Amino acid sequence: WNAATVAARMRVLAAQSVGQARSAMALAAAQTAGDYELQQGGIANSGTVEAVAPLFGRPRQYVVATRETTTSADTDAYQGLRPAWHLTLATVARLASGQWVLSGWQPEN
């Protein structure tokens, strides 16, 4: 994502989620849409999902490991910043239609 697309992307994620995950993404979309520093700095983030593994003893919960890079087009605040690892606890739910959706998204770092 970049400063111009982040709010819209989070709204799409909210629409595709349920429960806590939907609320978290909707709130994040609202906050980023009006974030002056994000917009003025031309902040962007990219990354890859490196691993997804079930959380032992927790049905329907998974640990998601990503490696992400944050950059800025209009400030040197992120210059030289190395890619960072992030861990998130993801919870899924099965809908009556049989589809699986994200119902919880809890970043751990």
Side-chain angles (χ1 to χ4, degrees):
W1 56 260
N2 62 45
T5 64
V6 66
R9 285 182 164 210
M10 289 185 176
R11 284 191 292 273
V12 168
L13 289 172
Q16 296 172 341
S17 303
V18 298
Q20 180 273 339
R22 176 174 279 184
S23 298
M25 289 299 107
L27 177 60
Q31 290 173 335
T32 57
D35 188 320
Y36 176 81
E37 290 180 12
L38 181 75
Q39 301 299 324
Q40 291 302 114
I43 309 299
N45 183 281
S46 63
T48 57
V49 174
E50 298 290 340
V52 178
L55 185 60
F56 181 74
R58 298 283 185 98
R60 298 187 179 174
Q61 290 191 322
Y62 298 84
V63 176
V64 180
T66 59
R67 189 161 188 222
E68 301 178 26
T69 302
T70 302
T71 59
S72 173
D74 299 323
T75 178
D76 60 1
Y78 295 93
Q79 188 174 17
L81 186 66
R82 300 178 78 171
W85 289 95
H86 297 276
L87 292 176
T88 302
L89 179 60
T91 305
V92 298
R94 190 167 193 167
L95 300 177
S97 64
Q99 294 177 307
W100 290 93
V101 294
L102 190 64
S103 62
W105 187 256
Q106 180 178 334
E108 295 295 322
N109 70 335

